Amino acid sequence: MLASRGRGIVFGLSGTGKTTLSADPNRGLIGDDEHGWSDNGVFNFEDGCYAKVIELSPIAEPQIYACTRRFGTILENVIWDPVSRAIDLDDASLTENTRASYPLDFIENAILEKRGGHPRNVIFLTCDASGVMPPISRLSVEQAMYHFISGYTSKIAGTEIGLRDDRKLPSAPAFGGPFMVHRPAFYAQLLRRKIERYDVKCWLVNTGWVGGPYGVGKRISIKHTRALLDAVLSGA
């Protein structure tokens, strides 16, 4: 993700808000997933986005919503009327994990070169269903390494079965544990060297529940999380 005033790269597991937060008209989009960070900066090695679309809002997420109406988008698990061909993004009768795949250039402010400079901010997303994490925290390098290695997030309805029934607190070390060849500490040291070399600020952003746990509090709004990210990227 590349911002107009300050660059940032986002880490997060499925359902934490990477695609939604990267599709913002105020920022140029390098990609919503699968990036590398070389000595020349950040680059993306995909050519499209994969968005969760259950109960997608045309007001809160207008860019992604528009993509679901475009020819060339692949819809997965989305209910549609075979006569009118109208789709129903609110229908979760098959699964809450409904998705849309679309080319990067479907997003108006996409950076088609899929390259950017070095990020000034690293943002870890966690969707905390226990209602404990604050909406945003500034991390020291040591704290950033802890959260990167732990990769904590709660199970989210629509990405994993069991948010309502299973209160376990899962994690994916290095935000991708099953796919990593080395131990998480190996990747943490790679990231630490980048953070220290390019003087990057680190943040933890909770896109989950505030005011109490799931069933008591409510999930923080996309509007508020975007405002927090705008403040991070502008230096405010």
Side-chain angles (χ1 to χ4, degrees):
M1 181 178 67
L2 185 67
S4 57
R5 291 169 293 175
R7 292 182 287 269
I9 189 167
V10 174
F11 290 83
L13 297 172
S14 183
T16 55
K18 297 187 302 299
T19 301
T20 296
L21 293 172
S22 62
D24 188 312
N26 296 319
R27 292 192 278 273
L29 177 67
I30 294 175
D32 75 328
D33 207 354
E34 308 297 343
H35 294 76
W37 186 355
S38 73
D39 291 338
N40 296 318
V42 172
F43 60 94
N44 179 267
F45 44 89
E46 290 186 313
D47 193 32
C49 299
Y50 186 58
K52 189 165 174 279
V53 295
I54 189 69
E55 298 179 350
L56 193 69
S57 166
I59 297 173
E61 302 164 283
Q63 289 186 305
I64 299 175
Y65 186 87
C67 290
T68 66
R69 266 62 184 168
R70 290 191 61 172
F71 179 80
T73 293
I74 300 170
L75 297 176
E76 177 183 330
N77 297 327
V78 173
I79 303 300
W80 65 293
D81 187 313
V83 177
S84 67
R85 300 177 66 85
I87 61 174
D88 185 353
L89 297 180
D90 296 327
D91 191 330
S93 58
L94 285 180
T95 174
E96 291 193 37
N97 194 21
T98 57
R99 297 279 181 163
S101 267
Y102 47 89
L104 193 64
D105 61 9
F106 275 22
I107 300 296
E108 186 175 342
N109 53 317
I111 298 171
L112 299 184
E113 296 83 3
K114 300 187 293 180
R115 297 172 61 187
H118 294 290
R120 298 178 186 139
N121 297 277
V122 163
I123 299 116
F124 299 138
L125 300 181
T126 182
C127 182
D128 175 36
S130 63
V132 173
M133 296 285 190
I136 190 168
S137 310
R138 172 77 185 274
L139 304 178
S140 67
V141 176
E142 290 74 19
Q143 289 170 327
M145 294 302 96
Y146 173 84
H147 284 285
F148 180 76
I149 289 173
S150 65
Y152 162 71
T153 196
S154 297
K155 286 185 178 181
I156 308 301
T159 58
E160 286 191 55
I161 294 173
L163 173 62
R164 295 181 177 87
D165 306 314
D166 185 358
R167 300 310 303 274
K168 292 179 182 177
L169 303 179
S171 64
F175 294 95
F179 308 102
M180 301 301 184
V181 176
H182 302 287
R183 292 181 181 275
F186 176 86
Y187 301 102
Q189 288 306 314
L190 287 177
L191 179 60
R192 180 170 194 149
R193 289 197 290 271
K194 295 288 187 185
I195 289 171
E196 292 177 340
R197 180 174 182 181
Y198 299 108
D199 192 25
V200 178
K201 295 178 181 177
C202 301
W203 308 84
L204 180 69
V205 173
N206 176 22
T207 59
W209 274 255
V210 292
Y214 176 84
V216 177
K218 63 179 181 178
R219 192 164 186 182
I220 190 169
S221 72
I222 296 169
K223 176 183 176 181
H224 290 154
T225 302
R226 279 190 170 145
L228 291 170
L229 288 184
D230 286 342
V232 163
L233 297 171
S234 69

